[in-house]
Amino acid sequence: MLIPLLFALVYPACLLWAAKTDIESMTISNRLTLGLAAAFLPAALLLGLSPEQWGVHLGLAFIGLIAGMVLFALRVMGGGDAKLIAATLIWLGGDGALAFLIYTALAGGALTLGLLWARRTVGQFASALPVPIGQHLEAKADIPYGVAICAGGLLAISHSDLLPLLHL
């Protein structure tokens, strides 16, 4: 079970890296999201997912990608966020996907409210702070939603149908 576990560790590592880069540069690399999605394939093969489970995982990723593209077109979120949602959903299965959406929405709300509060209270010091922090305190700055996606994805791991297959 060591090899599937190594592939499974790609999931949290990629989510954390996505959050880090989103904070630093407001971008999430296509290579990162593609790597996250691609790492699911050997992990799922090694864990012995049934054809039905494959369908659920791939279907959820596709639905997540379409929904993300719509949100991107409406300028609600960035393209990297949309792709990260799809790449995260491929790992979670049905129950995990629902938990992911709830946790991500809660984390996104907390992040947004926290940044709005910080912009009001310490925003005038934004230029004196290190760039990765100060840039998010500018009045018209975007929200690094990759942080909320990361939080939602990490919290949803315990709901994924892959976790029991690892026999941890």
Side-chain angles (χ1 to χ4, degrees):
M1 280 296 151
L2 180 61
I3 292 175
L5 179 60
L6 291 175
F7 278 109
L9 290 175
V10 168
Y11 174 82
C14 285
L15 288 177
L16 291 167
W17 190 261
K20 176 191 177 294
T21 60
D22 207 20
I23 290 169
E24 292 174 347
S25 64
M26 292 298 294
T27 59
I28 299 170
S29 138
N30 288 336
R31 279 190 211 148
L32 176 68
T33 54
L34 186 57
L36 176 59
F40 168 77
L41 302 174
L45 283 171
L46 291 166
L47 290 171
L49 255 61
S50 70
E52 294 81 19
Q53 288 173 304
W54 274 96
V56 168
H57 284 259
L58 295 172
L60 287 167
F62 180 74
I63 291 167
L65 184 60
I66 297 299
M69 290 169 57
V70 169
L71 292 171
F72 174 71
L74 296 172
R75 297 179 188 226
V76 173
M77 71 173 37
D81 298 328
K83 291 175 269 189
L84 183 60
I85 287 171
T88 302
L89 283 170
I90 199 170
W91 284 87
L92 295 173
D95 291 342
L98 180 58
F100 167 68
L101 295 175
I102 292 168
Y103 291 139
T104 300
L106 292 171
L111 175 65
T112 301
L113 290 174
L115 280 174
L116 290 174
W117 174 83
R119 288 173 183 171
R120 281 199 178 139
T121 58
V122 295
Q124 68 268 22
F125 303 111
S127 62
L129 295 170
V131 173
I133 304 300
Q135 73 180 350
H136 300 297
L137 297 179
E138 301 286 333
K140 301 280 186 189
D142 290 331
I143 305 292
Y145 209 75
V147 173
I149 297 167
C150 171
L154 293 175
L155 290 168
I157 289 173
S158 63
H159 301 276
S160 173
D161 60 355
L162 294 182
L163 193 62
L165 299 175
L166 288 170
H167 304 292
L168 298 176

